[in-house]
Amino acid sequence: MAGKYKYLDFKDRKQIATWYLSGDRPADIAERLGVTPATVYRELKRGATGELDRNQRAEYNPVLAQQAVQASFKRRGRSAAEAGESETGGINSDGG
């Protein structure tokens, strides 16, 4: 993992949401994805809804996280294609 950088894509974000909701620890999720636990914690913060999930932990929404990343890439000048905009298929946070 040293020297390798990996951007999480929408598929990874959906997988994080599934595992996190099922009660998995962020460290375990990180190991499965091949990233550091800090990456998963940042991702959970990025997609936080402000509500609690059924496990009484901060709820995570992968669509919100993807939108935040796309906005960040846009501010930095990366193209939407590089930001993975097509990954979400035009989904927004209200499901439409």
Side-chain angles (χ1 to χ4, degrees), residues 1-86:
M1 203 167 18
K4 292 272 188 177
Y5 296 98
K6 176 184 174 187
Y7 282 105
L8 297 177
D9 58 21
F10 189 60
K11 184 182 85 171
D12 294 331
R13 290 183 174 90
K14 289 191 298 187
Q15 194 63 62
I16 288 171
T18 301
W19 288 332
Y20 190 66
L21 189 59
S22 73
D24 289 359
R25 296 177 356 190
D28 296 333
I29 294 170
E31 187 175 333
R32 288 182 188 170
L33 289 176
V35 299
T36 66
T39 299
V40 174
Y41 279 108
R42 279 191 303 270
E43 185 62 29
L44 292 171
K45 184 177 179 181
R46 181 180 293 124
T49 64
E51 303 291 325
L52 296 178
D53 65 12
R54 66 178 180 228
N55 298 315
Q56 297 302 305
R57 300 190 296 185
E59 186 176 58
Y60 172 76
N61 183 328
V63 174
L64 289 178
Q66 185 70 23
Q67 289 172 342
V69 168
Q70 288 172 340
S72 173
F73 284 152
K74 192 172 188 177
R75 283 191 306 273
R76 290 189 280 163
R78 275 185 80 172
S79 72
E82 290 176 295
E85 185 174 56
S86 61

